[in-house]
Amino acid sequence: MKWKGSRQSDNVEDRRSISGGGKAIIGGGVIGIIVLLLNLFGGETGQQIAPILEQMQGGQGQQTEAAAPLSKEDEEMGNFVRAMLAYNEDTWTKIFTQHGMTYEKPKLVLFKGAVQTACGGASSASGPFYCPGDRKVYMDLDFFEELKTKFGAKGGDFAIAYVIAHEIGHHIQTLMGTSSKMRQEQQGKSEAEANKLSVALELQADFYAGVWAHDNQEKLEAGDIEEALSAASAVGDDAIQSKMQGHVVPDSFTHGTSEQRMYWFKKGYKTGDITQGTTFEEIR
Ligand SMILES: [Zn+2]
C-alpha cells in the first residue's frame, strides 16, 4: 500500500521500548497456543481471556523494564502503522459524517511482550485485539511473523493493514452499539448460539475492513488484496483448528471460517457500503 509521505496519525501510543520484557511472556507451550486460539483477533473474547491471563502471569504482567531502543525497522513499522491509522481516521470520519454520526478516533497501542489494558493484562500471544473498555487497539507486531510462519499467510504490509482495519471495525461496532447489543443477546444462550453471534460480529469487522479498503483503492498496490485475503483465510477458525488440533469443531467457531472471512472482506471491498454488512441477519 502506498503510504510514504502521507499523514501520520498522532493516536498511536508506542510502548514498544517500555513494555514488559521476556518475563511476562507466556507465549510458547500449550498455554500460548490455547490463548492464541481463543484470542486471535481477540475483539470481544479479549475481555474474557484477559483475567485468566493475569492469573497465569501471577501479576508479572505489571512489571516493566527498559528494553532496547527501537531499531530502524521498528521505527519504519511504527510509521507505517501511524499512516494506516490515519487512513482509517479519514475514511471513518467521512463515512460517519455521511450517515449523520460522529466518529471518535480510537488510540492504537504498539507493545512488545506484555501490556496492561482496561480489559486486563495481555501478552503478544493474544494476537492483536480491541478493548472496548478503553477503546484502544493493542498490537504486538511480532504477531505478523507468526501469521506467516505458523499460519502460512503470505504476509506483506497489507496483511497488517487488514488486521488494523479489522480491529478498527470492532471500534466501529462499539460506537454503533452493535457490540453491546450482541453481548446482551448472548445472555442466556447456549454456547453454540453465543458463538454464532460472536462469528457474526467478527465477520462484520472483516466487512468493515473491506469497506475501508474500498475507500482507499487508489493507494492499493498489486497483490494487496491477495495479502489481506491470505491473512483473513489463515486466521479462519477452521484453518486454525485444523492446524492446532487436526480437526474442526464448527460449534466452537468464534470468528468464522476462512471462506466466510474472505467473503465478507470482499463484500465490503466491492460495495464500500456500510449498510451491507448484514452478518447478523445472514449467518445465523
Ligand atoms: Zn476480531
Side-chain angles (χ1 to χ4, degrees):
M1 185 167 217
K2 295 183 201 125
W3 64 278
K4 294 274 168 86
S6 68
R7 182 175 78 82
Q8 302 230 322
S9 170
D10 47 18
N11 287 309
V12 171
E13 286 176 25
D14 198 340
R15 300 190 201 160
R16 287 177 296 173
S17 52
I18 50 166
S19 298
K23 274 185 191 153
I25 296 175
I26 55 157
V30 177
I31 294 171
I33 290 169
I34 293 168
V35 172
L36 186 67
L37 256 175
L38 292 172
N39 221 9
L40 203 64
F41 281 34
E44 308 307 312
T45 41
Q47 271 184 315
Q48 296 149 24
I49 302 309
I52 303 168
L53 267 170
E54 234 166 4
Q55 271 180 357
M56 294 192 298
Q57 286 169 201
Q60 282 182 347
Q62 272 98 26
Q63 287 186 11
T64 52
E65 42 188 75
L70 297 180
S71 68
K72 247 195 148 124
E73 291 79 49
D74 287 339
E75 295 284 4
E76 176 86 349
M77 285 305 297
N79 290 336
F80 173 73
V81 169
R82 278 182 272 273
M84 291 307 111
L85 190 59
Y87 285 166
N88 275 276
E89 289 169 347
D90 295 346
T91 292
W92 291 110
T93 300
K94 186 176 80 186
I95 293 177
F96 269 56
T97 305
Q98 283 166 356
H99 289 81
M101 301 178 289
T102 306
Y103 182 65
E104 292 161 43
K105 297 170 187 168
K107 302 268 187 210
L108 188 154
V109 179
L110 290 175
F111 71 97
K112 261 188 208 272
V115 70
Q116 279 302 314
T117 82
C119 302
S123 81
S124 38
S126 318
F129 65 98
Y130 172 76
C131 171
D134 53 22
R135 298 192 170 186
K136 291 181 181 181
V137 172
Y138 291 88
M139 293 179 104
D140 181 336
L141 295 171
D142 290 347
F143 167 77
F144 294 98
E145 272 311 303
E146 265 184 34
L147 204 55
K148 273 193 285 183
T149 54
K150 279 197 193 152
F151 297 98
K154 277 184 187 178
D157 66 344
F158 204 74
I160 302 175
Y162 152 69
V163 172
I164 294 173
H166 171 97
E167 299 306 340
I168 297 296
H170 286 309
H171 177 65
I172 305 295
Q173 294 170 322
T174 298
L175 292 180
M176 289 186 170
T178 316
S179 312
S180 53
K181 198 175 144 217
M182 172 263 191
R183 271 192 294 275
Q184 267 169 10
E185 277 183 47
Q186 278 182 324
Q187 301 297 322
K189 293 253 163 60
S190 70
E191 203 182 329
E193 285 299 316
N195 283 346
K196 265 189 204 162
L197 290 168
S198 169
V199 167
L201 195 77
E202 290 302 327
L203 294 177
Q204 193 181 56
D206 285 333
F207 171 83
Y208 288 146
V211 170
W212 170 79
H214 174 93
D215 193 53
N216 289 272
Q217 291 178 58
E218 76 282 6
K219 297 156 202 146
L220 295 179
E221 294 168 314
D224 276 351
I225 293 302
E226 288 72 24
E227 285 171 11
L229 292 175
S230 169
S233 169
V235 292
D237 283 325
D238 51 346
I240 292 172
Q241 285 193 355
S242 53
K243 229 168 216 123
M244 293 299 186
Q245 57 189 36
H247 60 276
V248 296
V249 187
D251 268 359
S252 68
F253 288 175
T254 54
H255 288 73
T257 63
S258 301
E259 204 168 314
Q260 286 173 323
R261 299 199 73 159
M262 292 196 289
Y263 172 82
W264 284 99
F265 175 85
K266 276 196 267 190
K267 187 172 181 192
Y269 178 59
K270 271 192 208 134
T271 65
D273 175 5
I274 53 164
T275 65
Q276 298 202 34
T278 52
T279 57
F280 285 92
E281 287 80 32
E282 290 179 48
I283 307 288
R284 68 175 77 183

